[in-house]
Structure formats: C-alpha cells, structure tokens
Amino acid sequence: MNRLKGKAAIITGGGAGIGAATARLFCAEGAAVLLIDAQTEAWTRTAAAVKQAVPDAQVTGFTADVAQEEAAHEAVRQATKVFGRLDVLVNNAAMRNYAALAEATQAEWQAMLGVNLVGTATWCRAVLPALRQSGSGSIVNVSSSYALKGRKGMGLYDATKAGILALTRTLACEEAANGVRVNAVCPGSTLTDFHKGRATEAGKSIEKLRTERQTTSLLGRWAEPEEIAWPILWLASDEASYITGATLMADGGMSAI
C-alpha cells in the first residue's frame, strides 16, 4: 500500500468518476493529492470521501476551469507549496458534445479543444518544471477507447481524445531526457456518476443501466471507475519506470472486436 509513498499528484476532473476513484487509490497508496474540478462542491465531496476511506489521506482541492492557463499554473504553485513537491499529473478532466460532425459549430469545436486537448497540453506544460525536479515524474493522460474506434454522434470528443494520444507520444519523446514519463490510458465504457446521472434524468434505473454494454466489449459489461484507476496508478508509479509513450487500452477488449 505504498506504491506512491512520498509522492504528490494533481488529478484534474477529480470531483467524480474516474478522477475520484484515482484519488482514493492514490491516497491509499501513500500519495498526497490535489484534486482539480470546476465545481468546488464536487472536489470537496470527493476529498471528504477519500479522508473517510483513508483516514490519514493528505488530500485537498482547487477549483479551476482546466481551459484557463493561469489556473493551471496557480494549481501547481499551490501543490508545491502545500506538498513541497510534485511528481504526478493525471489529466482526466473532459467535456462532452453530442453534435454530428456535419452540424458542429466552430464555437463547439473551440470549447471541446479548449478543455480536452489544449487544456491537457496546458496542464502538462504547467507541471513540467516540477516534474523534472522530481527525478521520476509521470504524466498519465486519460484518453478513450474511441480515440481508436469510430462511432456516431461524438466526433468532437473522439477527435480530441485521439489528439491526446499524439500529444502523449510526442511529449514522451521530448521529456525522456528530463526523466519525465508520459503515457495514456484509454478507458472503455465506464459506469461513472455522469452516466448514472444521465440515466436517472431519462427515467432509467441504475439496475437497467448496468445491463447495457453487453455487446460492446469482450467482457460484456461496464467498467467500474476503480478498474480504470488501477492502470492509472500503475503508470504513475515507479513500477512502470520503463514505460513511456505508451497507450494502455483499459476497455474490456472493445478494441479487439
């Protein structure tokens, strides 16, 4: 339970879903964690839940829109001030859009790029000085299995997630000499608070929701957020010290179909 002992991490989109599960796991494994979320209530709730699950957890939060560059730099300043160091960045924050590509407006594209792709690049740039000083810095970018697999109705989201994979490979090449590893995780269908909330709004029970996704992967089910947090933990830890520039498919075999 000490795979991240003595390390400090920033997790964007840490208020719920995969980000919250990653925060719990990181703290259980000894890391100090700064949660980033656009909603103060979200990261506050997650921080409280983490402290309840891991009584000695060192976890706090920062309210920020990940598309805002100065917010990234301020978060890094706070993390290094509070924790004394910074070793890991998990770029998990993302927004969604369901417009068909033939109908998506320029404003919609700019909003998606600002959060999902440019936002990811901005937070990478902001943390790099601290990660270089760490001596074993690690960035884990959360992409999507649909960065590699086509579907209808989420072209903007999927294009930005595909861009994250290219960004990951290039940054890994650029930062290897500085001792910073950069990898990506591609989750498949993950039963997060977001999906549960949409189902509830549509009048669908969570029990009914759980019966879906039976044909979209080899395992025939949703992933739990913790099942994505585990590979993120591994890539962030020194156990993956020889892994950089990699894309890890955590998709239940979706990409094999």
Side-chain angles (χ1 to χ4, degrees):
M1 301 299 289
N2 291 307
R3 296 160 91 181
L4 295 180
K5 185 177 181 179
K7 295 182 182 292
I10 288 177
I11 302 174
T12 71
I18 292 171
T22 302
R24 288 192 296 273
L25 189 54
F26 273 31
C27 287
E29 293 287 342
V33 173
L34 179 67
L35 301 168
I36 309 298
D37 202 280
Q39 303 296 325
T40 302
E41 180 183 355
W43 71 253
T44 300
R45 181 174 58 249
T46 293
V50 169
K51 289 177 181 178
Q52 183 174 12
V54 186
D56 60 346
Q58 191 175 1
V59 57
T60 186
F62 181 74
T63 305
D65 175 353
V66 296
Q68 301 301 315
E69 182 175 11
E70 181 51 37
H73 291 287
E74 179 58 30
V76 171
R77 284 192 289 269
Q78 288 204 19
T80 53
K81 179 180 179 180
V82 173
F83 304 142
R85 61 184 297 141
L86 188 58
D87 306 272
V88 178
L89 168 67
V90 178
N91 273 312
N92 173 66
M95 69 176 295
R96 292 169 174 262
N97 182 294
Y98 298 94
L101 290 177
E103 300 169 359
T105 66
Q106 185 180 46
E108 288 176 308
W109 271 109
Q110 290 174 339
M112 290 291 293
L113 288 166
V115 172
N116 292 9
L117 186 54
V118 178
T120 295
T122 295
W123 284 76
C124 288
R125 186 173 70 251
V127 303
L128 279 174
L131 264 56
R132 290 166 180 166
Q133 291 181 11
S134 165
S136 59
S138 176
I139 296 174
V140 183
N141 295 321
V142 180
S143 178
S144 168
S145 57
Y146 286 104
L148 300 170
K149 186 178 179 70
R151 59 175 167 175
K152 295 180 180 179
M154 289 193 70
L156 280 71
Y157 178 88
D158 296 346
T160 59
K161 291 297 187 175
I164 285 173
L165 299 184
L167 182 156
T168 297
R169 291 189 293 269
T170 300
L171 192 58
C173 292
E174 294 178 349
E175 289 300 317
N178 297 318
V180 179
R181 297 181 299 105
V182 190
N183 294 288
V185 170
C186 288
S189 301
T190 307
L191 194 57
T192 62
D193 303 312
F194 173 82
H195 290 293
K196 291 177 181 178
R198 290 193 72 209
T200 299
E201 290 175 3
K204 183 188 299 182
S205 70
I206 303 303
E207 290 72 22
K208 172 64 176 175
L209 182 65
R210 287 185 179 279
T211 66
E212 299 177 356
R213 301 298 195 271
Q214 293 182 357
T215 61
T216 57
S217 72
L218 293 178
L219 298 184
R221 62 174 177 82
W222 293 87
E224 294 296 330
E226 291 76 13
E227 293 179 289
I228 310 303
W230 281 108
I232 293 173
L233 167 69
W234 181 69
L235 288 173
S237 76
D238 292 339
E239 292 179 7
S241 58
Y242 200 59
I243 310 298
T244 194
T247 296
L248 195 161
M249 305 303 295
D251 65 352
M254 178 188 292
S255 52
I257 297 176

